[in-house]
Amino acid sequence: MILVLGATGGIGGEVCRQLKQAGAPFRAMARKQEQIDRLRQDGVDAALGDLDRPETLTAAMTGIDTLFLVTAPEPPQVARETAAIDAARRAGVGRIVKISASDCNVRSKIPWARAHALIDHHLRASGVDWTILMPTAFMQNFLWFTKPVAKGYLPLGAGKGSVSWIDSRDIARVAATVLTQDGHSRATYFLTGPQTFDMKDAAAQLSKVTERNVRYLDLPVPVFRTVLRLAGNSRWMANGLIAQFSDMVAGHHDIDPTGEVERLTGEPPKDFASFLRDHRDAFARAA
Ligand SMILES: NC(=O)c1ccc[n+]([C@@H]2O[C@H](COP(=O)([O-])OP(=O)(O)OC[C@H]3O[C@@H](n4cnc5c(N)ncnc54)[C@H](OP(=O)(O)O)[C@@H]3O)[C@@H](O)[C@H]2O)c1
């Protein structure tokens, strides 16, 4: 039996869909009763559990062999995910499959890259078997920009740096595969899309799919910060995104495509053009 955390989120939701399609036995965990009701209406076995209240995790973890661990990049992420690992160990869970990040590092200026390094460390030392998935940045992040793209701009501060962007549905596909197979014990997989490309290339592809001229605006850090704050991001998130794009990406520190998605699942990862075609409506609606 697999327990899927983050089942109401992007990757976890897609993992549930793929496990259901494969007929694999799983349970989803969510922290609110209305989320549980919705999951059950969709035919999913669901249990209440809130990672901010570790005492609520025991029931959800009972009878679980494998845990899928993902939470949002928020300040309590280390506390939440280490609580999940500790509860899994207490409940006798055999293996944890965790979403980390390709740039995780305890000395990183990016708070979620630092958090993942600490959590991965905790997991490897926990005594529970593990598989760690380290994806690069998600293509889904471009959905934050539907409004400016509708006006003909892609505003970011990423210089000329490239990213091996991955569609998060491919991350879920890898997760569903390794959750249901043996042979992934103590393995760390770096997951990327099929190509690496910079923001100018991204703007050119956005121009094609939206049929309007989209120009990349390489914002200086103070302007990028203002744009992020005006878009409603917390100071913590804005600082993290600046470190992510203006230091890491602009400094050409992203990894090259790895080929791991195809090696692990037998199918190549989606390219950016097909991601954009699948989300053409979201860009059209914003226009
Ligand atoms: N975006 C990127 O480019 C990128 C790149 C590499 C790695 N990552 C990593 O990917 C992960 C995010 O994946 P995602 O996009 O699928 O996340 P997401 O859509 O934000 O979903 C997060 C999930 O965590 C759940 N959660 C949060 N706090 C919880 C709590 N206290 N108890 C129980 N559940 C809780 C949320 O539940 P609610 O619905 O109740 O809030 C939601 O289901 C992060 O670890 C991030 O660092 C992201």
Side-chain angles (χ1 to χ4, degrees), residues 90-147:
R90 285 194 301 272
V93 169
R95 182 164 61 110
I96 298 178
V97 176
K98 176 194 177 288
I99 297 295
S100 179
S102 61
D103 54 357
C104 71
N105 187 314
V106 281
R107 289 179 297 281
S108 176
K109 282 196 244 168
I110 308 167
W112 40 89
R114 230 171 24 241
H116 279 304
L118 295 171
I119 303 160
D120 293 354
H121 214 68
H122 189 81
L123 175 55
R124 289 188 176 110
S126 68
V128 183
D129 196 6
W130 49 268
T131 308
I132 298 180
L133 306 182
M134 296 197 168
T136 49
F138 303 174
M139 292 178 187
Q140 277 70 8
N141 298 349
F142 282 91
L143 298 173
W144 302 336
F145 297 104
T146 51
K147 283 187 186 150

Side-chain angles (χ1 to χ4, degrees), residues 19-56:
L19 291 176
K20 197 172 168 195
Q21 203 172 29
F26 73 99
R27 183 185 301 158
M29 190 186 90
R31 54 179 158 170
K32 294 182 197 130
Q33 188 56 48
E34 61 265 29
Q35 296 169 326
I36 300 290
D37 295 343
R38 230 172 297 130
L39 285 161
R40 286 185 182 152
Q41 272 161 22
D42 292 343
V44 172
D45 177 8
L48 262 179
D50 183 344
L51 297 170
D52 292 327
R53 295 187 298 130
E55 70 281 5
T56 64

Side-chain angles (χ1 to χ4, degrees), residues 118-187:
L118 295 171
I119 303 160
D120 293 354
H121 214 68
H122 189 81
L123 175 55
R124 289 188 176 110
S126 68
V128 183
D129 196 6
W130 49 268
T131 308
I132 298 180
L133 306 182
M134 296 197 168
T136 49
F138 303 174
M139 292 178 187
Q140 277 70 8
N141 298 349
F142 282 91
L143 298 173
W144 302 336
F145 297 104
T146 51
K147 283 187 186 150
V149 164
K151 297 194 173 95
Y153 302 111
L154 178 62
L156 259 160
K160 293 187 172 142
S162 299
V163 174
S164 302
W165 300 96
I166 184 165
D167 188 316
S168 65
R169 291 171 295 180
D170 286 321
I171 305 169
R173 200 151 57 79
V174 170
T177 303
V178 304
L179 281 163
T180 50
Q181 279 181 353
D182 291 329
H184 303 288
S185 168
R186 302 172 75 82

